[in-house]
Amino acid sequence: MLNLVLFGPPGAGKGTQSQKLIEKYQLVHLSTGDILRSEIANGTELGLEAKKLMDQGILVPDEVVIGMISNKLDSNKEANGFIFDGFPRTVAQAEALDALMISKNTAISGMVALDVDSEELQNRLLLRGKDSGRPDDANPDIIRRRIEEYNNKTAPVANFYKAQGKYYSIDGIGSIDEIFTEISKIVDGL
């Protein structure tokens, strides 16, 4: 089973590359952002609480996210594998994800990180905010907080996977197809 963590700051291109990976490798996409946005759209209690936190650029509690992921894994037992997009965001989440995967007799195959500088990220997110109507992408202050939150809490997750020999970094600036070709080389080697 192929289980990938697609890693990078907000606006790095994870969603775009995830779709291409899903098509090529027939993986199930696990985007915690999409799962949470679905909860928000459906007006669930979890969704309303998550929206409050997300609008402030704060992460949703780990146990909630791990529970949602466990349910998704259980409901897709025949999958070729999974692509984790936007998760794990902290070392504690990475540890919890590893434990969850072991409990399901599988493991993370590798982490592919998309590296993009902060200025490019801000420009991409502001453009995405105009196109998608997502309020968290339209406000420069929230964008800065999200990038700071990533740098402070999420970037250290790379070291967790480096220690396991599962970390692979790619330049996230270039054409979508060029970046995908580099990602595919890594995935094919797993």
Side-chain angles (χ1 to χ4, degrees), residues 10 15 23-24 37 47 51 57-58 62 84 95 142 148 153 177:
E23 290 169 24
K24 181 172 181 177
R37 281 187 286 279
K51 182 177 178 3
I58 298 171
D62 293 353
F84 294 88
E95 292 168 348
I142 290 176
E148 284 172 22
K153 293 183 179 175
D177 289 336

Side-chain angles (χ1 to χ4, degrees), residues 6-190:
L6 193 56
F7 193 69
K14 295 181 303 290
T16 300
Q17 294 300 330
S18 287
Q19 289 307 312
K20 295 181 79 61
L21 287 162
I22 289 162
E23 290 169 24
K24 181 172 181 177
Y25 298 99
Q26 301 298 301
L27 302 174
V28 173
H29 186 223
L30 292 178
S31 165
T32 53
D34 289 348
I35 294 168
L36 288 169
R37 281 187 286 279
S38 172
E39 295 283 337
I40 290 168
N42 292 327
T44 66
E45 186 177 332
L46 170 66
L48 296 174
E49 181 61 26
K51 182 177 178 3
K52 256 196 297 189
L53 296 170
M54 288 167 68
D55 285 349
Q56 297 171 45
I58 298 171
L59 298 176
V60 175
D62 293 353
E63 61 275 4
V64 172
V65 179
I66 287 289
M68 291 187 304
I69 290 171
S70 181
N71 291 339
K72 286 287 190 181
L73 294 174
D74 290 344
S75 64
N76 291 281
K77 289 186 180 193
E78 303 304 315
N80 289 334
F82 296 88
I83 184 163
F84 294 88
D85 171 4
F87 188 88
R89 293 184 184 208
T90 65
V91 172
Q93 287 178 352
E95 292 168 348
L97 180 59
D98 270 10
L100 176 66
M101 299 304 276
I102 288 167
S103 77
K104 305 211 182 273
N105 297 314
T106 189
I108 295 299
S109 308
M111 168 191 268
V112 178
L114 299 173
D115 292 327
V116 181
D117 67 70
S118 293
E119 186 177 331
E120 175 68 15
L121 292 171
Q122 281 199 308
N123 292 335
R124 288 181 183 185
L125 289 169
L126 287 169
L127 282 172
R128 186 168 83 181
K130 289 177 188 170
D131 295 340
S132 72
R134 281 179 50 181
D136 57 332
D137 286 341
N139 183 321
D141 291 331
I142 290 176
I143 289 171
R144 271 191 294 282
R145 273 198 302 276
R146 288 171 63 203
I147 293 170
E148 284 172 22
E149 183 93 356
Y150 172 84
N151 288 332
N152 294 332
K153 293 183 179 175
T154 307
V157 175
N159 292 327
F160 179 82
Y161 289 103
K162 281 179 187 174
Q164 296 180 16
K166 296 180 178 180
Y167 175 83
Y168 306 90
S169 180
I170 297 188
D171 184 354
I173 297 178
S175 77
I176 290 168
D177 289 336
E178 288 169 344
I179 294 166
F180 184 67
T181 297
E182 293 305 308
I183 293 171
S184 293
K185 287 176 188 174
I186 290 168
V187 172
D188 291 341
L190 299 174

